[in-house]
Each structure stands twice: as C-alpha cells, then as structure tokens.
Amino acid sequence: MADTQRETERKFEFRDGKKARAGRRRVPDLTGTASVAAVRDRGTADLYAVYYDTPDGALAADGITLRRRTGGEDAGWHLKLPVAPGVRDEVRAPLSDTLPPELAALVRSRTRHRPLEPRVRMHSERHTDDLLDADGRLLAQLCTDSVRAERGRAATAWTEVEVELADHGAPALLDAVEARFAEAGLRPGAAPSKLARALTATGAPPHARPGPGPADGTAGAHVLAYLRRQREVLVAQDPAVRRDVPDSVHQMRVAIRRMRSALATHRRLLDRAATDPVRAELRWLAGELGADRDREVLLERLRGRLAELPPSLRVGPVRDRLRAWNTHRRARTRRRALAALDTDRYLALLDSVDALLTSPPLRPAAAKPAAKPLRKAALHDWDRLGDRVAAALALDPGEERDRALHEARKAAKRVRYAAEAAVPALGKPARRLVKAAKSVQSLLGEHRDGVVSREALLGLGAQAADAGESAYTWGLLHGREEARCDLLEQRLPAAWAKAGRRRSRALPK
C-alpha cells in the first residue's frame, strides 16, 4: 500500500570544482543557524536507484520522478510529484520487482500506452545529519550526496547538498541555511532534481512538446495558448484526483469546461470537424467526474444550512442522517470518477487533445490579429447569454424556468471563459467583461444550488420518515431554499441590467 508525504527541500552545490570534490568537509556546521541547537551525525549509506520513464521522457518533462531504490532506510518505489518550487509530494510503495499498480495509475495521464523503462541508474554515497532544536526535535535533515549517474554509455558525477524539512521545521529555516551556505561557497542547485541534472549532463534529448502554432499576436495563437494551459491542468490534476486531494476534482472539471467552452466559442478559428468530437468526449469526462464534485458542493451547502439553524429547530439525528446519506453517495460517485480515469476512452481523449494542439485545425481567421476576433467571439457569447436570460424570465416559476435558468448559468460561464481567454490580447476591458459575466453566473449558480438542494432535502426527508425519524428539519430547510430561489429570481432582472452596463463599458462594439 502506497503512502504519501510532503517533501520540502532545497538543493545546493559548490561554486567551484575543488570544493565540490572536497565534499562533506566543506559543508559548514549549522549549529546556531536559526533554531538549530545541535547537529546529530547519522552516518553514511549507499543508495542505488533506477529511474523509470517513457522512451521519450514524458515524466521528466513534467518534473516527475519515478524510481526504484535499494539501500538506506527508505528502500522501495518512490514517485515524486511537483507541487511548487522546492515542494513535492512523494508517494512511496514497498520494494518489489515490478512497478506497483497504484503508482502506475498515478502516472497514466502522462504515460498513456507507452511503456516505462529504466532511463538512468544512480549510485549515491549519502551522509546524513539531523538538525535538532533545543528540545531535541528534528527540524530538518542535511544530506551530502556524492552521486554517479549512468544513462546508457554516458555517465556523470557530482556532489550536492540538500536540506529537507521535517515535521517541526519551518520554511524560514531553509532561508537561514541558504544564507549560511552562501558564506561558505554553496549556491542553490541549478537542477530541480538529481534526475534532471543527470539527464542534462548526459545529453538526453528533451521531450517533444506541441509546436508553437501560429505567430504571436494572432487570434489562433491566443486561443491555442489558452487551450494548452487547460490541457496542462487536466493532466496534472489526474494523479491528485486519484489520491483524493481536496478540490482536485473541481480543478479538473474547470479545466475541462474551459476547453469545451473555448472550442465552442472559437468555431470561426478552429475547424469544427476536428473539434466537435473532442468537445463531445470532454463532455463525457466532465459528466463522469461531475457526480462526485456535485456531491461535495451539495454536502458543504447542506452542512452550512444546518449550522444556520438554532438547536431547537434541528429535530432528530439530522447530522447523522446527513453523514450516512453522504457516505453512501460518495462511495458510488468516487468509484464512477476513478473508473472513468482507468478507461481506454479517457486515454484516447488525452491523445486527441494533444493531437489537436500539436496540429491545430486552424481556419483562415486564426491568422488575423487577435483583438477583433476575440472581442467578436466574446460579444457573441454575451448576446447568447442575454437570449437565455430573457427566455427564462418569460417563463412562469417552476421546473421549466429552473431548467432555463440553469442553461443561462452555463451560458454565463461560457462568456466568462471567453473573456478570460481574451485578457492577454484585450487587457482591462476583457477583465471587466469577466467581472460582468461572473456576477450573473454567481446569482444563477446560487439559484441552481438551491434547486439541487431542494431535491436532496426531499430525499433526506423521505429517508428520515421511513426510518421513523422526524422530517421536520428537512422540510424547514426545503422551505428556506425555496424562498431563497424565489428571491434570486426576483433579483435577476436588476442584476442582468447592471451586468449589461458593465459589459457596455468593457467591450464596446
């Protein structure tokens, strides 16, 4: 079974070769640096690691390392996923002859159907010191590594020093260590990892990336840059969703929605014959992930509504009932999301997105300067939103209007995403349009959440009644949600008029 720990560290190297060859003798004593009260010698160990990657280096290209290590106290399989500069999540699995399935799943969005094979073999002679505070608590570990790396017939060697924070260490300690090391001739390492340094030093070819596309400043260039950013989020969030990292499903769905929206908005720039099948598959994936995300949002809302009630109005075991309801739903929705990520259909979708970005199906309008096409596309989506708001308001209150308002909400998102994509080209006016669209989206989103909450509350009330519990609290909350939705519908005309004034200031025709 794999386990995860957050790794926060900094790497250092000597400024000249003589000091590098001197190794640990040149590493200064850190006693008295920040809160370091003592340094405990842990001795030296030989570490042997084989780093795995696809033949074209897809993992290394995204700053991911996958290794099988023997020797030392942490022998096993280690997968390191970047979080921020100097911060990685290390997922570990016990030592085995073959890659554990749980780690293979975490890199599948990068590897697809390509095999993982040994890329670099590395031997490190590691000396470790514990940095302790006055109470003997471990603040960080100081490791001095003499490294030899081999990639095929090419080889390289170097000495590096790394300081990794422990549970009782603070980021300020790393700043103090860096200042102390600077005095001793140690500088921050140029490579983010040993693997990255070994690949560079042995002349490994870089991983192929999508081409630059059309010339800078064209409408096509702006849209493709926006799509590439969403593609990066989609792929990067895959392992986070599998590890159940908070908000990861939401982030992945947002990237999917932005891609779908951009492909729909910019049909004058991209050939629909190529983009419509991709949009359809993105919609499928969003739907498979959506059930779990919708459950998260609904649970948070219902918990908040219960917390707003005075204790006298919380009749019966309502919190236990809500907890059981969520547990049952969560098991089903999470299985559905993970099952989708394990399908060939999902991998084919990722390949299709990459193919679209590598050889974009650009139409002639994509070669035009960006400002006018992007402005026109955003305004077209705004007019579409206006039609949907008007159609919804023309309906009598009820289920049909609720559905129409939901469609208007989706249209508001599309305007917002179109304006976001236009910001690099249009600047402040596009940001104003984002704000105008977001104001409408927020109101309609609150309304939609209320509609979904009412449906859930009816179900909770029925479950409570079947179990012999009072359904009073669930009925009370249902009534409150209904009143909120009615109030939001009354506010919509004024909110839409205000947003329209903002739009006029943002992108005049």
Side-chain angles (χ1 to χ4, degrees), residues 253-281:
R253 283 190 75 204
V254 168
I256 293 169
R257 285 201 301 262
R258 284 175 168 152
M259 292 184 73
R260 290 190 68 240
S261 179
L263 293 176
T265 294
H266 299 292
R267 287 170 174 167
R268 293 178 180 273
L269 308 181
L270 298 166
D271 187 355
R272 288 188 60 178
T275 61
D276 279 359
V278 177
R279 284 193 72 239
E281 289 302 277

Side-chain angles (χ1 to χ4, degrees), residues 298-314:
L298 184 55
L299 175 64
E300 183 178 350
R301 185 180 181 91
L302 295 180
R303 280 175 172 170
R305 296 298 183 242
L306 278 176
E308 293 171 359
L309 292 178
S312 61
L313 298 181
R314 295 197 292 266

Side-chain angles (χ1 to χ4, degrees), residues 209-228 269-270 354-363 366-368:
R209 291 288 193 181
D216 289 342
T218 64
H222 280 273
V223 173
L224 289 175
Y226 183 79
L227 288 170
R228 288 192 183 101
L269 308 181
L270 298 166
D354 285 353
L356 187 72
L357 295 173
T358 301
S359 300
L362 297 173
R363 301 182 66 188
K368 295 180 179 179

Side-chain angles (χ1 to χ4, degrees), residues 86-361:
V87 182
R88 295 185 290 183
D89 278 345
E90 181 174 282
V91 186
R92 296 182 178 181
L95 190 64
S96 60
D97 292 337
T98 58
L99 177 64
E102 56 266 40
L103 296 193
L106 293 179
V107 297
R108 191 165 293 134
S109 64
R110 271 84 172 194
T111 61
R112 317 283 169 83
H113 293 293
R114 290 167 293 186
L116 284 165
E117 57 187 31
R119 291 270 288 170
V120 173
R121 300 180 185 276
M122 200 174 294
H123 169 228
S124 299
E125 183 182 300
R126 166 168 289 184
H127 188 96
T128 303
D129 292 304
D130 290 341
L131 307 183
L132 310 174
D133 67 8
D135 296 323
R137 296 179 301 182
L138 181 63
L139 300 176
Q141 283 197 324
L142 167 67
C143 299
T144 305
D145 294 335
S146 297
V147 184
R148 177 175 172 81
E150 299 176 352
R151 187 183 63 83
R153 296 182 179 180
T156 184
W158 71 91
T159 297
E160 69 178 36
V161 181
E162 65 181 39
V163 181
E164 180 178 343
L165 290 182
D167 291 343
H168 295 287
L173 173 60
L174 296 179
D175 294 334
V177 169
E178 184 171 333
R180 177 73 181 91
F181 278 179
E183 298 173 355
L186 280 158
R187 63 185 178 190
S193 67
K194 288 183 175 65
L195 177 62
R197 181 166 184 167
L199 291 172
T200 300
T202 58
H207 177 70
R209 291 288 193 181
D216 289 342
T218 64
H222 280 273
V223 173
L224 289 175
Y226 183 79
L227 288 170
R228 288 192 183 101
R229 289 195 296 272
Q230 307 319 313
R231 180 267 181 201
E232 294 304 317
V233 174
L234 169 61
V235 172
Q237 288 299 323
D238 175 293
V241 170
R242 295 176 188 273
R243 293 162 51 217
D244 204 15
V245 174
D247 202 43
S248 57
V249 174
H250 174 57
Q251 294 299 325
M252 195 173 192
R253 283 190 75 204
V254 168
I256 293 169
R257 285 201 301 262
R258 284 175 168 152
M259 292 184 73
R260 290 190 68 240
S261 179
L263 293 176
T265 294
H266 299 292
R267 287 170 174 167
R268 293 178 180 273
L269 308 181
L270 298 166
D271 187 355
R272 288 188 60 178
T275 61
D276 279 359
V278 177
R279 284 193 72 239
E281 289 302 277
L282 287 169
R283 181 178 183 179
W284 161 76
L285 180 58
E288 297 304 294
L289 297 172
D292 200 45
R293 173 57 184 168
D294 292 345
R295 175 201 55 78
E296 288 180 346
V297 173
L298 184 55
L299 175 64
E300 183 178 350
R301 185 180 181 91
L302 295 180
R303 280 175 172 170
R305 296 298 183 242
L306 278 176
E308 293 171 359
L309 292 178
S312 61
L313 298 181
R314 295 197 292 266
V315 181
V318 290
R319 295 189 185 279
D320 290 341
R321 169 63 53 195
L322 181 59
R323 187 180 303 112
W325 171 87
N326 179 65
T327 299
H328 174 73
R329 286 169 57 94
R330 186 179 191 279
R332 184 174 67 253
T333 59
R334 178 150 176 80
R335 281 198 303 269
R336 179 179 173 183
L338 294 180
L341 299 185
D342 286 333
T343 61
D344 287 340
R345 182 176 181 178
Y346 168 63
L347 297 183
L349 167 59
L350 296 181
D351 286 342
S352 296
V353 170
D354 285 353
L356 187 72
L357 295 173
T358 301
S359 300

